[in-house]
Amino acid sequence: MITLRAMTQNDIEHGYAITQQLKWPHRREDWQQALALGEGVVAEENGEFVGSAFGWRWGEQAATIGLVVVNPQFQGRGTGKQLMLALLEKFPDYNIRLHATEMGKGLYQKLGFEVTGHIQQHQTRELAAVPTVTIPAGLTLHNAQAADADLLIERDHQAHGMWRPALIHSLITDFQTVLLQDAKQRVHGFASLRRFGHGWAIGPVIALNVDIAQTLISALMQGLRGEFVRIDTDGALPLASWLETLGLAQVDAPTTMIRGTPWSPQQGEMQAFGLMTQAMA
């Protein structure tokens, strides 16, 4: 019989072991960050860890669900559905977003999620071409500081309707985050570089337009020649073709699904050209 409980730090090693079985790239550190920013549910059978799932609460209206994993030996028993139902109870009346594999899409549709698009996972094992950084006229490039956090939180919210202060503070404090500002100190975009999976991930990338997104990404790629680099981008936005020119091939295209009302950025406001992760969006 499957029982459910809240995830603790002691469960990270078990969850990490399952993602290794499934050939997912997540490191222990990626699991630790996921739990630090969100909450997890664990499924057990006779005291044995058989699966888990995460939810992240981004304000009072938006949430994301991800890292839904079940030990391959226990798949086909409805464990994934039980984990999802337990998470959905935590987010009543929320607009909930997730990115589904083909295997999971049918379950999520039965739980009220609707397809709204897809994302494209682009990566290269060895970055061959480091792009030139071309800064748009009137803008300057800076490393983000703690004093920039409130502005970045607000710009991040414009892009996808999520309030993520804990995440933004972490991106500024623990990772490299760059931003573009004009002479009036208005932020036109920001992006972060961090260790993830097999190497480096760039994201989130929040920008007013694709030129700004490319500038931010180019700045973060300096020094990464020969390194594994990954970027997850919204398939509806015009970044993918440029990533291909840099040798970042598309390797996956998970389906974006929403339970509730999809967020629509206002014209002239920020867009999310790059995701934090497929799970946290």
Side-chain angles (χ1 to χ4, degrees):
M1 178 178 175
I2 295 293
T3 59
L4 302 176
R5 61 171 175 80
M7 179 178 285
T8 71
Q9 286 287 335
N10 295 330
D11 297 309
I12 286 177
E13 191 64 30
H14 298 294
Y16 168 71
I18 292 178
T19 47
Q20 288 289 289
Q21 288 184 58
L22 297 173
K23 307 297 183 184
W24 290 15
H26 300 73
R27 308 167 303 153
R28 292 178 180 86
E29 294 88 345
D30 302 323
W31 275 82
Q32 290 165 352
Q33 183 187 51
L35 185 56
L37 293 169
E39 50 197 293
V41 176
V42 168
E44 292 182 321
E45 184 172 272
N46 299 322
E48 181 180 357
F49 184 109
V50 299
S52 63
F54 281 93
W56 294 270
R57 194 182 308 271
W58 307 119
E60 298 180 353
Q61 295 180 313
T64 54
I65 286 176
L67 268 179
V68 182
V69 294
V70 176
N71 187 319
Q73 297 178 5
F74 291 86
Q75 290 179 359
R77 303 186 188 182
T79 305
K81 181 178 180 180
Q82 291 184 60
L83 289 165
M84 284 294 298
L85 288 172
L87 280 177
L88 291 175
E89 287 182 0
K90 295 178 179 292
F91 306 115
D93 302 320
Y94 272 61
N95 297 314
I96 306 174
R97 177 178 176 178
L98 58 77
H99 293 102
T101 63
E102 279 301 309
M103 183 181 297
K105 188 163 66 172
L107 167 62
Y108 303 138
Q109 288 175 321
K110 291 177 182 178
L111 294 174
F113 287 84
E114 297 183 357
V115 174
T116 60
H118 75 281
I119 59 169
Q120 296 180 199
Q121 179 180 330
H122 287 261
Q123 63 190 43
T124 176
R125 291 189 175 276
E126 296 183 7
L127 182 65
V130 177
T132 301
V133 180
T134 304
I135 299 175
L139 302 182
T140 56
L141 181 72
H142 305 280
N143 285 317
Q145 305 297 323
D148 299 312
D150 287 347
L151 277 175
L152 301 194
I153 291 165
E154 190 273 333
R155 297 297 188 268
D156 189 57
H157 177 261
Q158 283 184 11
H160 40 56
M162 297 185 284
W163 289 107
R164 307 195 291 183
L167 172 60
I168 299 301
H169 282 287
S170 175
L171 292 174
I172 294 173
T173 303
D174 302 328
F175 306 100
Q176 183 184 2
T177 298
V178 295
L179 59 88
L180 282 166
Q181 284 183 312
D182 61 24
K184 295 183 178 180
Q185 305 302 303
R186 291 176 297 200
V187 175
H188 289 234
F190 72 94
S192 298
L193 171 70
R194 66 192 195 285
R195 285 284 185 182
F196 178 81
H198 301 302
W200 298 94
I202 294 177
V205 181
I206 307 297
L208 286 175
N209 57 55
V210 68
D211 291 339
I212 291 172
Q214 290 175 2
T215 298
L216 293 164
I217 292 168
S218 298
L220 291 172
M221 282 184 171
Q222 303 305 304
L224 294 185
R225 184 182 298 275
E227 297 279 352
F228 182 102
V229 179
R230 169 177 168 174
I231 299 176
D232 295 279
T233 185
D234 188 327
L237 296 177
L239 186 66
S241 58
W242 178 73
L243 294 175
E244 295 275 358
T245 69
L246 301 178
L248 277 74
Q250 180 184 330
V251 299
D252 200 6
T255 301
T256 303
M257 305 186 76
I258 301 287
R259 189 176 192 253
T261 304
W263 179 262
S264 296
Q266 296 297 310
Q267 186 173 1
E269 291 191 347
M270 296 286 170
Q271 298 185 81
F273 285 89
L275 281 62
M276 170 64 184
T277 67
Q278 291 182 14
M280 281 186 258

